[in-house]
Amino acid sequence: MTARPSVHQAATADELLARLRVHGAVPRHVAIIMDGNGRWARERLLPRPLGHRSGMKAVRDVVEGALAAGVEYLSLFAFSQENWQRPATEVGALMSLLEEYIAREVDELREQGVRVRVLGDLARLTPPAARAVERVVGETAGNSRLTLNLFISYGSRAELVRAVRAIAADVAAGTLAPDEIDDATIAQRLYTADCPDPDLLIRTSGELRISNFLLWQIAYTELFISPVLWPDFGRRELFEAIVAYQSRDRRFGRVTV
Ligand code: IPE
Ligand code: IPE
Ligand code: MG
């Protein structure tokens, strides 16, 4: 039995970009769980860190694709809180790659109008990685064409626990009454406070799970699972996901006939 070809299989990145521009609304906020670097390396009998290195090139291509498509917010899950439990050599390689990515890309990101933010428990980063983060955030703070949220040392439950503690502290201090707490009270205390919720969440490598990413924020986000391993993902695959998103009917619980 042959696999059913994807509708857009033959389309090039430029054709898909032209199509998504005609189709209509581009998602304002695209979030991506960048998964599959290890499997990409294993398929080539390479060590896992080389998969991560290849994944860095995919980040560059996808950022350029997001700029070309007119996406306003791009959220990339780069390293989860649970990923700290990986072998020290792999964690070390990922921290070094973060520094390398920033050193290589900071000028171009700044020139392209990208504002970079790094969201997560940054106290756990190695000092050189923390310095690199501070640099890219500082040097791109004045930009507004695309906000690139890099989630590093991030876990959604930990983010929610942090928000609950902040709310409890306000209640204990008498500055917030329990019956004043609503959706916004919580949303404002998340790392994503000033971002709209993602319109589209892409996970690469075919895994059908969320892995503790943006649990609160994705309540009504459209999901797109790509079979492509992250190092092979690029602007073409991003455009394909956006074209698919544009054919969805977002009902938010209502009836839209
Ligand atoms: C994603 O690739 C990158 C990180 C989670 C840091 P993986 O390293 O999870 O790759 P697989 O899932 O083992 O293929
Ligand atoms: C999710 O991928 C985290 C990132 C992409 C950074 P994982 O590879 O860590 O997720 P699981 O372990 O397969 O759920
Ligand atoms: Mg994985």
Side-chain angles (χ1 to χ4, degrees):
M1 200 180 90
T2 51
R4 193 161 58 89
S6 140
V7 183
H8 306 299
Q9 207 166 45
T12 65
D14 286 346
E15 285 163 354
L16 289 165
L17 181 60
R19 198 175 304 177
L20 74 85
R21 285 192 172 134
V22 191
H23 269 201
V26 169
R28 284 188 74 197
H29 185 174
V30 176
I32 310 183
I33 302 174
M34 309 187 290
D35 198 14
N37 295 351
R39 276 161 284 168
W40 186 94
R42 197 176 56 210
E43 281 177 2
R44 289 160 181 78
L45 305 176
L46 296 170
R48 292 176 59 87
L50 287 187
H52 297 312
R53 175 170 288 280
S54 260
M56 197 163 73
K57 296 195 200 95
V59 171
R60 185 190 177 112
D61 203 47
V62 165
V63 168
E64 287 175 0
L67 284 162
V71 169
E72 291 173 58
Y73 297 86
L74 178 65
S75 287
L76 300 179
F77 199 9
F79 188 83
S80 74
Q81 198 147 53
E82 292 75 22
N83 290 151
W84 286 113
Q85 296 163 54
R86 292 188 179 193
T89 46
E90 181 164 348
V91 171
L94 284 162
M95 287 298 125
S96 306
L97 275 177
L98 174 63
E99 290 167 52
E100 194 179 319
Y101 171 76
I102 292 170
R104 273 187 192 210
E105 303 290 326
V106 65
D107 291 340
E108 189 148 345
L109 290 166
R110 192 182 49 240
E111 279 153 29
Q112 287 172 328
V114 180
R115 171 175 66 143
V116 180
R117 303 193 311 169
V118 182
L119 287 62
D121 181 6
L122 304 184
R124 294 185 73 176
L125 297 187
T126 58
R131 279 195 296 276
V133 162
E134 205 177 318
R135 173 172 175 218
V136 73
V137 170
E139 289 195 21
T140 63
N143 285 335
S144 57
R145 188 170 159 214
L146 170 71
T147 295
L148 173 61
N149 292 324
L150 296 178
F151 287 81
I152 293 168
S153 188
Y154 171 85
S156 183
R157 286 188 171 181
E159 177 187 41
L160 285 162
V161 167
R162 188 172 162 269
V164 169
R165 285 190 182 147
I167 291 168
D170 288 347
V171 170
T175 55
L176 180 68
D179 59 6
E180 284 171 348
I181 297 170
D182 58 12
D183 283 12
T185 318
I186 296 167
Q188 281 158 11
R189 286 163 178 80
L190 302 177
Y191 293 121
T192 50
D194 49 3
C195 271
D197 287 341
D199 300 293
L200 172 64
L201 171 65
I202 300 169
R203 182 163 189 156
T204 63
S205 85
E207 301 293 357
L208 301 175
R209 56 178 171 266
I210 300 299
S211 302
N212 201 15
F213 191 43
L214 301 177
L215 300 177
W216 172 271
Q217 297 89 334
I218 61 168
Y220 269 104
T221 298
E222 295 294 327
L223 307 180
F224 183 90
I225 308 296
S226 168
V228 175
L229 302 176
W230 177 251
D232 292 328
F233 199 89
R235 73 183 77 197
R236 204 196 79 86
E237 289 69 26
L238 172 69
F239 298 158
E240 203 170 51
I242 294 177
V243 169
Y245 164 87
Q246 289 175 323
S247 68
R248 305 273 180 91
D249 180 18
R250 301 187 74 186
R251 289 189 286 277
F252 299 98
R254 295 186 288 259
V255 177
T256 56
V257 185

